[in-house]
Amino acid sequence: FKVSYPFKPYFYIATKKDCEREVSAYLSRKFAGVVSSIETVVKEDLDLNNHLVGLKRKYIKMSFNNVNELTKVRREIFPAIRKNKEREKSNNTFSSMYSSHLMGQDGSTSSSRTISDQRDNIIDIREYDIPYHVRVSIDMKIYVGLWYTVKFYTGGFYILTRRDDLVDRPDPVVLAFDIETTKLPLKFPDSEHDQIMMISYMIDGQGYLITNREIVSADVDDFEYTPKPEYDGPFTIFNELDEAALVQKF
């Protein structure tokens, strides 16, 4: 049998500071009859310099009745976002100071801005490229390789219950690895200037560590890391000359 479950696709819009309400009103009017719902949500922004402390920002969540409508709106919004990003990059210190002067000392935007200006306040779009089936699986917590009981009721309502008692697991060969790199404070690693310091991996209970001697100051000897008695952790070490040799060894 097959059960159809209505799930509305969506993406997030980022705006300039404190412009969420005005932009939401503009989008509601602009795409009336196409957008199913618009709401403001708070989410973590990994692009913030100090995102590791848990800072969050507001986003506009735009939901649609189907993927075609989402694609249509996304295609129309994209040029404005691209133009605004390019304008932001080209801004110099003078233009920033001039904008701050116009906005006032409290940083609030002028109340005289018209609805036609709101396209300039849309600065980013997030999670627009997640395939629909992946989005449904993530949000509904439907995972491959697990069993579920499905109960369907008249009117399209259904209950999906995970069956933890139905377990038939294979005996796979597990490879787990971790890559450590250099990076600037509070930033993600950047391949343009950061290097891999070391790669550790474990397969079938045997651990390995590959080091980059351009970063690590001395050779590392074989060692054992056993966090729990049931998890033996003998590690074999490979001290490589540089990053390229480290990657090739891995």
Side-chain angles (χ1 to χ4, degrees), residues 29 43 53 80 109 145 154 156 183 191 194 200 211 221 225 228:
R29 293 182 175 91
K43 296 180 69 67
V53 300
T109 56
T154 303
K183 71 179 187 68
S191 60
D194 289 314
S200 61
T211 67
D221 297 327
Y225 175 68
K228 294 183 179 180

Side-chain angles (χ1 to χ4, degrees), residues 210-211 240-250:
I210 313 173
T211 67
E240 299 299 324
L241 181 64
D242 52 24
E243 184 183 45
L246 178 151
V247 173
Q248 291 173 355
K249 186 66 177 179
F250 181 59

Side-chain angles (χ1 to χ4, degrees), residues 202 204-207 223-235:
M202 180 169 283
D204 281 349
Q206 173 62 49
F223 63 89
E224 180 177 339
Y225 175 68
T226 304
K228 294 183 179 180
E230 60 269 27
Y231 300 127
D232 290 334
F235 273 80

Side-chain angles (χ1 to χ4, degrees), residues 15 20 26 51 55 62 68 76 78 87 93 101 107 111 123 145 152 160 165 180 196 208 210 218 249:
T15 71
E20 294 84 11
Y26 164 75
H51 66 273
L55 290 183
M62 300 183 65
N68 289 336
E76 190 163 343
F78 247 62
R87 183 191 298 119
T93 304
H101 174 71
S111 59
I123 59 176
F152 184 75
L160 189 71
D165 57 313
E180 299 291 341
I196 299 176
Y208 301 89
I210 313 173
K249 186 66 177 179

Side-chain angles (χ1 to χ4, degrees), residues 25-242:
Y26 164 75
L27 294 173
S28 297
R29 293 182 175 91
K30 174 69 175 178
F31 301 109
V34 179
V35 178
S36 173
S37 64
I38 294 180
E39 60 179 317
T40 300
V41 298
V42 178
K43 296 180 69 67
E44 291 186 9
D45 185 357
L46 299 183
D47 285 343
L48 294 176
N49 291 337
N50 49 355
H51 66 273
L52 295 177
V53 300
L55 290 183
K56 298 182 179 181
R57 63 164 298 167
K58 293 180 180 179
Y59 286 91
I60 298 174
K61 180 180 178 181
M62 300 183 65
S63 301
F64 304 85
N65 290 318
N66 55 64
V67 177
N68 289 336
E69 292 178 349
L70 180 148
T71 304
K72 177 182 177 181
V73 174
R74 181 187 67 188
R75 190 183 301 117
E76 190 163 343
I77 290 177
F78 247 62
I81 294 175
R82 188 181 301 111
K83 183 182 68 174
N84 293 338
K85 284 185 175 181
E86 292 174 354
R87 183 191 298 119
E88 189 71 20
K89 289 181 181 179
S90 64
N91 280 345
N92 54 28
T93 304
F94 174 78
S95 62
S96 298
M97 294 174 60
Y98 183 68
S99 298
S100 299
H101 174 71
L102 292 178
M103 291 171 62
Q105 295 181 351
D106 61 352
S108 60
T109 56
S110 172
S111 59
S112 63
R113 291 184 63 87
T114 64
I115 199 69
S116 61
D117 298 321
Q118 297 308 320
R119 288 175 65 92
D120 295 337
N121 289 329
I122 304 174
I123 59 176
D124 204 359
I125 182 172
R126 300 290 179 90
E127 299 189 16
Y128 63 91
D129 53 352
I130 299 178
Y132 181 65
H133 68 282
V134 176
R135 165 60 68 195
V136 175
S137 298
I138 293 173
D139 287 17
M140 300 303 300
K141 295 181 172 57
I142 303 174
Y143 305 115
V144 175
L146 298 176
W147 290 95
Y148 296 86
T149 295
V150 181
K151 294 182 179 180
F152 184 75
Y153 300 91
T154 303
F157 177 71
Y158 88 100
I159 297 177
L160 189 71
T161 306
R162 178 174 167 177
R163 292 290 303 275
D164 293 322
D165 57 313
L166 295 180
V167 179
D168 186 14
R169 294 193 178 96
D171 188 17
V173 176
V174 178
L175 168 65
F177 64 91
D178 181 57
I179 300 177
E180 299 291 341
T181 71
T182 61
K183 71 179 187 68
L184 296 175
L186 301 177
K187 294 285 188 177
F188 282 115
D190 188 337
S191 60
E192 292 296 326
H193 50 76
D194 289 314
Q195 288 195 56
I196 299 176
M197 297 187 293
M198 60 184 68
I199 300 177
S200 61
Y201 63 99
M202 180 169 283
I203 180 169
D204 281 349
Q206 173 62 49
Y208 301 89
L209 176 66
I210 313 173
T211 67
N212 176 2
R213 282 301 314 277
E214 283 189 335
I215 306 296
V216 180
S217 60
D219 283 346
V220 179
D221 297 327
D222 293 352
F223 63 89
E224 180 177 339
Y225 175 68
T226 304
K228 294 183 179 180
E230 60 269 27
Y231 300 127
D232 290 334
F235 273 80
T236 300
I237 313 302
F238 302 103
N239 298 289
E240 299 299 324
L241 181 64
D242 52 24

